[in-house]
Amino acid sequence: MLILSRVEGVEGIKNSASKLRQRCCLGAAIFLLLTALLGCAERQLVRPTPQMDVDQQFWVRVLLFENIKACTLKTPCCLTVLDGRTQTPLTHFDQPNLPIDAAASAGMITIADRAYEADSVIILPDYPHVFNINESDYRGKLQLIINPDGDSLTAVNLVPIEAYLAGVVGAEMPSYWEPAALEAQAIAARTYCLYIKRHFGTKRRWDLQQTTANQLYLGVSAESAQVWKAIEHTYGQVLICSQPDGTEDIFPTYYSSTCGGHTENSKHVFGDSFEPLTGVPCPYCSDVAKPTQFFWPMQQFDKAYVSAELLRRYPKLKRLGEIKDITAARQSDYEGFSRLTMVKLLGSKGKSDLLRAEDFRLTIDPTGRKLKSTICQIANLGDEWAFLSGRGWGHGVGMCQCGAQAMARRGATARQILSYYYPGSRLLTIDY
Ligand SMILES: [Zn+2]
């Protein structure tokens, strides 16, 4: 529609009487035509979203916002508002690229001044099925759910799995990394996503968060030609392993940035036991991780802050009184270093409690950017707790991403990387 109006403008300019004006107008016409053509080319650069007709079990619901009053939507094409429950079309917007305001108020969702009584609405953008919410582009559809307070919204991106993965792989790994590393990442992310969806999604209105709480997802901005290539080369591939009941099925293919020299047994970090997640030596990640990432400097945290954060997240710790000492209760010992897996908190009332070391780490540093891993020693420095001899980044379970890149540089294929970090697993291709 935008292109059509520009062409009409060109026609009007051509009818001008003055020669000079005609020349100017001709220039303007060429400019407008070029702009229109470039506009077309630009639009064509946005790949169409694959799998828009795939079975519901292969759609992923990603939580974008949990408690917002309003948001601004845009699509490069037209969009339809559907009833979230019945999928009945309610309104069609046919003006591309115009910002549309959506808000929640008194139990109703308002979109461009029209109020909907539905508990949720789905925004369905036309081909290539891309939309923008608050300045970020995503693929698939957007579900806006009214929260129980009636005045705020939860925004969930409904996206077919392969399109979702393009927004994960490019966020989790630099797209200039080796193709085999990107492919291994795609397979691990695909398997992890389906596992989390199946085991946790049924209890809530979304499957995954878009942060490292699950796996990073940045939508269209994370995509690149290399990332799409990795997705296409591994289309539908997941990892399976034997389950306690003797069958073979997908498992939670955890992965983390830099294991520090040995990956960790999932049982000690997440509490689940699968044969491929018991831990392997990793002589690779030190080749790729920056020295400040592989070895991180001492971090200090104020004791009052640590106590407050622990009590906020774990109110049961109140019975301990003031936290007087934090020691290693369990650790995995490897050549030259140990990873804390359980810490003991000793309180002023003489009582103590145990906490998984990874939960402890992310409670006092939710970003995980200062206290990068639990491969460290804890020291009592008066008003502060100090964490020394730090090494590695992330929980250390499953594939080591820097290790995967180092293996790929040495010529390993995605399959070899995955067999190394998830021993006992095998590949299965889903027939979508
Ligand atoms: Zn490693």
Side-chain angles (χ1 to χ4, degrees):
M1 275 177 71
L2 203 61
I3 294 168
L4 189 65
S5 65
R6 280 173 179 163
V7 173
E8 282 166 357
V10 171
E11 290 303 318
I13 290 161
K14 274 185 182 167
N15 292 334
S16 171
S18 155
K19 246 187 174 179
L20 183 65
R21 259 186 86 199
Q22 254 181 5
R23 216 173 293 145
C24 289
C25 290
L26 191 64
I30 291 167
F31 171 73
L32 285 174
L33 193 65
L34 276 174
T35 311
L37 287 172
L38 283 173
C40 275
E42 200 180 4
R43 262 195 288 283
Q44 280 164 5
L45 281 178
V46 178
R47 282 171 175 260
T49 303
Q51 294 189 305
M52 285 298 288
D53 57 353
V54 78
D55 190 272
Q56 205 54 41
Q57 63 178 312
F58 300 116
W59 280 73
V60 186
R61 301 171 303 165
V62 190
L63 178 67
L64 299 182
F65 301 104
E66 202 160 24
N67 190 21
I68 47 167
K69 294 270 178 210
C71 57
T72 304
L73 311 174
K74 252 193 284 182
T75 55
C77 49
C78 309
L79 68 87
T80 307
V81 179
L82 311 170
D83 183 293
R85 225 170 264 284
T86 63
Q87 308 276 314
T88 315
L90 302 172
T91 316
H92 187 70
F93 289 87
D94 59 2
Q95 287 183 301
N97 288 315
L98 267 190
I100 298 169
D101 291 323
S105 166
M108 307 256 264
I109 302 174
T110 308
I111 299 174
D113 298 328
R114 181 174 164 179
Y116 298 86
E117 279 187 47
D119 147 77
S120 82
V121 294
I122 290 174
I123 311 293
L124 170 64
D126 285 2
Y127 182 92
H129 307 297
V130 172
F131 65 89
N132 180 294
I133 177 170
N134 293 352
E135 303 300 325
S136 294
D137 290 326
Y138 296 96
R139 294 184 177 276
K141 308 174 194 174
L142 174 71
Q143 184 170 28
L144 295 175
I145 304 164
I146 193 121
N147 289 340
D149 67 8
D151 288 316
S152 64
L153 294 168
T154 293
V156 178
N157 181 194
L158 314 177
V159 55
I161 186 161
E162 298 294 324
Y164 162 73
L165 288 173
V168 172
V169 173
E172 282 285 353
M173 263 189 187
S175 57
Y176 57 81
W177 275 18
E178 296 293 326
L182 295 172
E183 288 172 20
Q185 178 65 69
I187 296 166
R190 187 181 290 110
T191 313
Y192 175 82
C193 161
L194 288 173
Y195 184 90
I196 298 296
K197 176 183 164 72
R198 191 199 288 172
H199 289 265
F200 300 95
T202 49
K203 300 168 201 149
R204 54 196 186 206
R205 297 188 79 168
W206 45 271
D207 300 314
L208 295 104
Q209 300 183 56
Q210 62 174 156
T211 65
T212 50
N214 290 123
Q215 49 191 1
L216 282 178
Y217 168 65
L218 295 174
V220 177
S221 69
E223 296 178 8
S224 66
Q226 299 92 311
V227 162
W228 275 110
K229 216 174 193 176
I231 307 291
E232 284 158 10
H233 280 180
T234 62
Y235 192 81
Q237 289 179 6
V238 291
L239 286 173
I240 56 170
C241 73
S242 35
Q243 309 284 316
D245 64 2
T247 59
E248 277 197 313
D249 206 346
I250 54 170
F251 60 99
T253 42
Y254 303 110
Y255 55 88
S256 69
S257 167
T258 310
C259 76
H262 201 293
T263 66
E264 187 52 56
N265 190 332
S266 178
K267 199 170 130 188
H268 299 152
V269 178
F270 299 113
D272 43 11
S273 297
F274 293 93
E275 186 197 341
L277 298 175
T278 48
V280 293
C282 176
Y284 304 114
C285 51
S286 55
D287 283 5
V288 167
K290 291 177 195 149
T292 50
Q293 187 175 327
F294 195 82
F295 296 109
W296 43 269
M298 180 173 79
Q299 300 295 327
Q300 287 158 269
F301 289 84
D302 185 72
K303 279 188 177 174
Y305 163 82
V306 170
S307 292
E309 289 304 299
L310 285 170
L311 284 180
R312 202 160 60 87
R313 178 140 175 212
Y314 303 101
K316 63 164 190 167
L317 295 176
K318 270 191 190 129
R319 66 182 190 88
L320 304 185
E322 202 183 326
I323 291 165
K324 288 287 182 196
D325 205 5
I326 305 171
T327 53
R330 192 180 64 202
Q331 62 187 38
S332 299
D333 296 321
Y334 303 114
E335 207 181 314
F337 68 96
S338 301
R339 183 188 297 271
L340 301 176
T341 55
M342 190 75 84
V343 292
K344 183 179 176 186
L345 307 173
L346 179 68
S348 55
K349 294 179 183 171
K351 292 176 180 156
S352 65
D353 214 334
L354 297 174
L355 202 56
R356 273 193 197 139
E358 188 65 9
D359 292 339
F360 171 79
R361 173 175 86 94
L362 294 173
T363 299
I364 66 171
D365 181 18
T367 67
R369 290 188 164 272
K370 287 176 76 183
L371 202 50
K372 288 186 167 146
S373 76
T374 62
I375 305 178
C376 60
Q377 288 163 6
I378 306 171
N380 188 339
L381 295 187
D383 291 339
E384 292 181 325
W385 298 111
F387 299 87
L388 315 150
S389 313
R391 180 170 171 147
W393 195 354
H395 52 66
V397 179
M399 185 177 77
C400 171
Q401 291 167 299
C402 283
Q405 164 68 352
M407 283 185 76
R409 273 190 193 161
R410 298 180 191 194
T413 62
R415 197 177 279 246
Q416 287 168 332
I417 294 168
L418 295 168
S419 299
Y420 186 79
Y421 287 109
Y422 304 108
S425 68
R426 68 178 186 93
L427 276 181
L428 176 86
T429 303
I430 299 170
D431 188 14
Y432 291 130

